[in-house]
Amino acid sequence: MAERRVIYWFRTDLRLHDSPALKAALDLDPAVLWPIFTWDPHYVYQARGGLNRWQFLLDCQNDLSKSITKLNPKSKLFVVREAPQTVFPKLFKAWKVTHLVFEKDTDAYARERDGVVIQAAMDAGVEVLIRSGRTLWDSDQVVEKHSGKPTMSITQLRDAGRKVGPIPRPIPAPDHLPDPGEMPVNFEQDQPEASPDFNSERRTEKDTGYKQISGPNGDFAIETMEELGFPSATTPHRGGETIALQMLEKILADKRYTATFEKPRTNPSQFEPQATTLLSPALHFGALSVRQFYWGVKDVVDAFGKGASTPPESLTGQLLFRDMYFAAQAALGQGFNQTYKNPYCRFIPWHLPSKTDPDTGIVTGDYHIDSEQAETWLKRWKFGVTGFPWIDALMRQLKEEGWIHHLGRHSVACFLTRGGCYIDWERGCEVFEEWLLDHEPACNAGNWQWLSCTAFFSQYFRCYSPVSFGKKWDKHGNFVRRWVPELKDMDEKYIYEPWKAPLLDQKRAKVRIKGDGLTDVGEGTYPKPMFDFNERRDVCLNAMKTAYRVGLHGNDGPVLDGTWREQFPDGDDTEMQEDIESDHGEHADRGDDEAHQKKRKKKQSGNATQRGASNGTSGTVKKQKTLFDMQKSDRHISSNLL
């Protein structure tokens, strides 16, 4: 038998423990094994990525490389600096490769990329082995068992998962690795297309990562922030398998915390330490196996017995949500990450809608500015100068650290979309794509659809208040004082509503409430609020009610041909105003899961009866201009692009 010369292609599985794909590579008993990472220009230029996530990736790569070297001093993580689509055909020939092995990736771009690489391998006579390991169940198998449809609830996921089979137990890390073979690169390097560069605004120097395919010293070294042209990251959170496993071990040692964890009851204002595990970035880069996490928690829960929490609020429930979103994306492909052409995403005529490619129908990454006011609101939201301290504190934490609590994400997402600004959820999704350490395309898009009530969740009347929600968790405003230092000396009476502070109190706090935070910025100032939240909430609620009544989805004819405007009322619209609730998180993880529908409807029916009896009416009629009418007045958007 000819010797087996195997490339193991690391991607979003930067670990040695519980790696089914790596085990498959080692089961081949290869004569040589090259652990490589291809430095893909798609992510360097065409995908948004903040400094913190780049640093976290480099941390994971360096930690993995050290772990590989511990098993075999002759080996490490070899980084090849060229697009995988063009470099693999050259490597197959130059290195006399017989097998290529990697972990399955169901992200839309990854499927396209892997298809090209697999075809190149077939053309070169190289055998390809692919194993699932990024999710609890193979997402494609889940979709198959769900009749080819996306999983839109935990119930649907678990039903399909049971048909796939039990979640496998994690497997141990290998105790040895074969030597790598010779690595000649006596072929021409394909230089990447660097335009457009979605990350150009973050580069302070010219990126030099692709000057040589094997790195500046010819040793296939891991890149550096300097080579990428980036300044230093600001996050305190570091990546790598070693750190992730240590964090997991510490969490599992606290058996009560692990067994009774309920996500909606954790405090979004808690910091140093945070209230949740902060293991999601490690899951994203594969530095921690999702099965290792799941079974570690489940074993603790099973031993704990009575009083343990259950999905969806429990720790295992959070991992099920992750699988749910992955399977939904696996079913719909790239269209899952947008409204246009998405049959499962409700169409809402938001401000700042995405531009789409007329040939493919896929969003381009740019958007229409239908309202200058909305554009200003988006900027103020992104940079944490909305004038609402709770929102601003969260957005500033996100920008600096790359992470905010689950309920904090709920707050800022609701505020940007249906609970204040009425701006397209895809704009917020792009900001999170840029700044989150744990950005997963499927989870990010899914969560934004959830919070904007365009998919997964439909209770649009549950609106997070940017004032009362923060007060519920942090009465004294310590979280705000930490992240909005302009208000560090503000009386707690006004910490969440500083615009109400009399001038004398502002003077005592050494701050003046003035300007918009963008153009009128000065030391000792904090901006006025962007709007009256109660008024905006009513406007958004009426607009959402109208959109729900119209009932269009992303693949409906009027959306595709641009005639959707005809479905919406023209001019002032009389609406029946429902009671508005401020969701303090008790129902944040329930969504529209079928298992809870009957119970919720019964409860809501009872509440409605009680309200009618006490108020003498079932609601309040309020006549006002809807936000749709505000959007409709802007004429420079081509209707065929909406």
Side-chain angles (χ1 to χ4, degrees), residues 248-418:
L248 179 61
E249 182 180 13
K250 184 177 180 180
I251 290 164
L252 297 179
D254 188 342
K255 299 188 184 304
R256 176 166 294 277
Y257 172 86
T258 299
T260 62
F261 179 95
E262 290 183 291
K263 193 68 165 281
R265 297 186 184 277
T266 55
N267 187 345
S269 67
Q270 185 175 324
F271 59 96
E272 296 177 358
Q274 73 289 335
T276 54
T277 68
L278 225 167
L279 285 172
S280 50
L283 289 175
H284 166 63
F285 288 108
L288 177 65
S289 156
V290 66
R291 301 189 311 190
Q292 189 86 17
F293 193 173
Y294 176 87
W295 279 107
V297 171
K298 191 172 188 310
D299 287 343
V300 170
V301 169
D302 290 346
F304 190 84
K306 187 177 180 180
S309 56
T310 58
E313 293 93 347
S314 64
L315 277 175
T316 55
Q318 305 312 302
L319 299 179
L320 292 173
F321 270 124
R322 182 175 181 269
D323 260 50
M324 177 189 76
Y325 288 137
F326 269 79
Q329 179 184 250
L332 295 175
Q334 194 166 354
F336 173 71
N337 301 320
Q338 61 185 61
T339 298
Y340 190 71
K341 285 193 172 182
N342 185 342
Y344 290 85
C345 190
R346 191 177 296 274
F347 172 77
I348 310 288
W350 308 109
H351 285 310
L352 310 184
S354 296
K355 293 182 179 180
T356 56
D357 185 303
D359 296 324
T360 65
I362 300 300
V363 296
T364 64
D366 200 0
Y367 60 90
H368 299 279
I369 301 177
D370 67 302
S371 163
E372 292 295 339
Q373 182 182 65
E375 174 72 354
T376 298
W377 286 351
L378 175 62
K379 290 178 181 177
R380 291 184 65 177
W381 173 84
K382 179 176 180 179
F383 295 108
V385 288
T386 66
F388 292 95
W390 173 246
I391 300 298
D392 293 344
L394 289 164
M395 293 305 294
R396 294 184 193 188
Q397 182 191 26
L398 173 60
K399 185 175 187 294
E400 182 170 323
E401 295 196 342
W403 183 90
I404 52 176
H405 186 280
H406 170 78
L407 294 179
R409 302 182 196 201
H410 279 216
S411 294
V412 299
C414 181
F415 182 86
L416 184 70
T417 57
R418 61 184 171 84

Side-chain angles (χ1 to χ4, degrees), residues 131-179:
R131 297 291 184 270
S132 176
R134 197 176 178 194
T135 47
L136 297 173
W137 291 287
D138 184 318
S139 297
D140 288 330
Q141 292 182 15
V142 169
V143 173
E144 179 184 352
K145 297 300 182 183
H146 193 51
S147 303
K149 298 181 295 184
T151 49
M152 303 300 291
S153 71
I154 292 294
T155 297
Q156 291 178 2
L157 172 76
R158 297 178 86 175
D159 287 347
R162 277 189 284 269
K163 296 175 184 177
V164 173
I167 296 171
R169 285 269 181 179
I171 57 179
D175 56 10
H176 73 283
L177 291 174
D179 291 346

Side-chain angles (χ1 to χ4, degrees), residues 107-125:
D107 287 351
Y109 164 73
R111 283 195 191 273
E112 178 183 334
R113 173 201 63 200
D114 294 350
V116 173
V117 171
I118 291 169
Q119 184 59 55
M122 292 175 61
D123 293 343

